[in-house]
Amino acid sequence: MNKYLEQLVNLSEIDKQIDSYVPRLEAINKNLNAKKDQIAKIDEQIIVIDTEITEIKAQISSTNIHIAEFNTKIKEIAKKSNSVKTEKEIKALNLEEELAKDQLEAANEEIIRLERIIDTKNITKEDLQNQKSALLDELSTLQNDTNQEKQTIEQERSVIYKQKEELLSKINQKILTFYEKIRKWAKNTAVVPVKKQACYGCFMRINDKTLLNVQKSDDIVTCPHCGRIIYSQEQPNQPVAKMTTPKATKSDTKPATKKTTKSSTTKKSTTKVATKTTAKTVAKKSTKTSEKSSKKSVAKSTSDKKPATKKSTTKKPATKTTKK
């Protein structure tokens, strides 16, 4: 293999390894981000519960104010009942007192209901906090594992980057710019092998001339279809198989000519026999048709002559009568 071509193959392999670290890091960060998202959702749920609890507490405080009002109203009605003299006033005061007591009972029941809701909200909040603490523990262990994996990846990366720098210092700049131009659109398939006479970048068949150039590996060859750099995976010590047709010797050519002449003569003889047979059949058919036509003509002539003789015989007695 050509020196420059070998350098490009090694460079493409190094670039593939460098690019392979990106999805590995993304997978590690994906697990971390998933745990963080779960914790963030739990935090949002806790915030919602806290806001609901504050709203319920505000409702309780407002109902407590109403309860205080109802209590003062009942006390005022009790004071008025001592000074009332007529039955109508007593009935009116009693109705007001009953209404105030009913409202007070409803307010107390509302407070009990709201306090129960607060208790259930606090229970759900505690469950969410327990889930959050468990997720935080998992996140801490995950972070330790990911940090170790990232360190190993960075170490491998640094070694590969050093290899790349050493290789770039040896490569010709024109060849490097040519490789980088192809890599912009082909990415990790800028340099591909040739297998079964096909480019393994576009999977199109390559003609024999370009295949020979690739197998010789004297120059950097590109695919005529896609423009990627192509190379042969054969070993450098292995001899290159040239796709040339073997020259025919005299001993090989003579029998071939004889065979061809024999075949041509046989073909000619068969064609002559075929033409003779066709001519004979045509002649036989023509004779048969002529015989048939002659027979028909004879039959017609005889049929025409017979009634003429009868007419002549009938005319003879007419001549005899005239003589008498």
Side-chain angles (χ1 to χ4, degrees):
M1 191 183 283
N2 187 8
K3 183 178 113 176
Y4 297 114
L5 185 61
E6 192 174 353
Q7 287 173 350
L8 286 174
V9 171
N10 292 326
L11 183 63
S12 67
E13 290 294 326
I14 287 164
D15 286 330
K16 281 178 189 177
Q17 287 180 359
I18 290 163
D19 290 337
S20 68
Y21 292 124
V22 174
R24 282 173 68 186
L25 290 166
E26 284 177 354
I28 292 160
N29 291 320
K30 190 178 180 181
N31 294 324
L32 276 171
N33 291 323
K35 290 288 176 190
K36 286 176 181 178
D37 289 333
Q38 286 178 359
I39 291 160
K41 283 179 182 178
I42 288 165
D43 287 328
E44 286 176 358
Q45 288 176 0
I46 288 163
I47 289 161
V48 170
I49 288 163
D50 287 329
T51 52
E52 287 175 352
I53 286 164
T54 52
E55 286 175 358
I56 290 161
K57 283 179 179 178
Q59 287 179 7
I60 288 164
S61 63
S62 65
T63 49
N64 281 321
I65 290 161
H66 289 301
I67 285 163
E69 288 175 356
F70 296 143
N71 284 319
T72 53
K73 196 173 185 181
I74 288 161
K75 286 176 183 178
E76 285 175 358
I77 289 162
K79 286 178 182 179
K80 285 179 182 179
S81 62
N82 293 322
S83 62
V84 171
K85 293 177 182 179
T86 60
E87 289 180 0
K88 284 182 181 181
E89 288 177 352
I90 290 162
K91 284 179 181 180
L93 287 168
N94 287 327
L95 285 168
E96 284 181 4
E97 190 176 359
E98 284 174 1
L99 284 168
K101 284 177 181 180
D102 290 333
Q103 287 173 352
L104 195 131
E105 284 176 3
N108 287 318
E109 286 175 358
E110 184 66 21
I111 286 163
I112 292 160
R113 189 181 69 80
L114 293 168
E115 284 175 351
R116 284 175 184 170
I117 290 165
I118 288 165
D119 292 332
T120 53
K121 295 280 182 189
N122 286 319
I123 290 160
T124 52
K125 187 180 175 181
E126 285 175 2
D127 291 332
L128 289 167
Q129 284 174 349
N130 291 323
Q131 288 177 12
K132 185 182 175 181
S133 62
L135 285 167
L136 286 166
D137 293 331
E138 289 176 3
L139 190 105
S140 63
T141 53
L142 233 168
Q143 278 179 343
N144 292 323
D145 294 333
T146 51
N147 287 325
Q148 288 177 358
E149 286 179 4
K150 281 179 181 179
Q151 283 176 0
T152 54
I153 286 164
E154 288 297 327
Q155 287 173 0
E156 291 174 3
R157 235 173 162 183
S158 62
V159 171
I160 289 163
Y161 273 119
K162 283 179 183 177
Q163 289 177 2
K164 188 177 179 180
E165 285 174 1
E166 288 175 1
L167 214 152
L168 288 171
S169 63
K170 294 175 184 177
I171 292 173
N172 189 359
Q173 288 297 318
K174 287 182 180 178
I175 294 163
L176 185 65
T177 51
F178 179 65
Y179 167 76
E180 289 294 333
K181 280 179 183 177
I182 296 166
R183 198 172 183 278
K184 279 180 183 178
W185 58 268
K187 294 180 181 177
N188 288 324
T189 60
V191 182
V192 289
V194 174
K195 292 178 184 178
K196 296 178 183 179
Q197 203 174 346
C199 168
Y200 261 55
C202 63
F203 301 98
M204 295 287 286
R205 190 175 173 80
I206 293 163
N207 56 16
D208 297 333
K209 189 178 179 182
T210 54
L211 184 67
L212 281 169
N213 291 326
V214 169
Q215 286 175 347
K216 284 177 185 177
S217 65
D218 292 331
D219 296 322
I220 293 162
V221 183
T222 56
C223 176
H225 304 291
C226 63
R228 290 180 175 87
I229 297 162
I230 50 176
Y231 68 95
S232 180
Q233 284 188 330
E234 292 178 356
Q235 293 179 358
N237 294 324
Q238 194 174 359
V240 177
K242 291 184 178 179
M243 294 177 72
T244 55
T245 54
K247 291 181 179 179
T249 57
K250 291 180 180 179
S251 60
D252 294 331
T253 54
K254 283 177 181 178
T257 54
K258 286 178 182 178
K259 285 179 183 178
T260 52
T261 52
K262 282 180 182 179
S263 62
S264 62
T265 52
T266 52
K267 282 180 183 178
K268 285 178 181 178
S269 62
T270 51
T271 50
K272 284 178 182 179
V273 169
T275 51
K276 284 178 182 179
T277 52
T278 51
K280 284 178 182 179
T281 52
V282 169
K284 283 179 182 179
K285 286 180 180 178
S286 61
T287 52
K288 283 180 181 178
T289 50
S290 61
E291 285 175 0
K292 285 181 182 179
S293 60
S294 63
K295 283 178 182 180
K296 285 179 181 180
S297 61
V298 169
K300 283 181 182 180
S301 62
T302 52
S303 63
D304 294 331
K305 284 176 183 179
K306 282 177 182 180
T309 53
K310 282 180 182 179
K311 284 180 182 180
S312 61
T313 53
T314 51
K315 284 178 181 180
K316 281 179 182 180
T319 54
K320 283 178 183 181
T321 51
T322 52
K323 282 180 182 182
K324 282 178 182 182

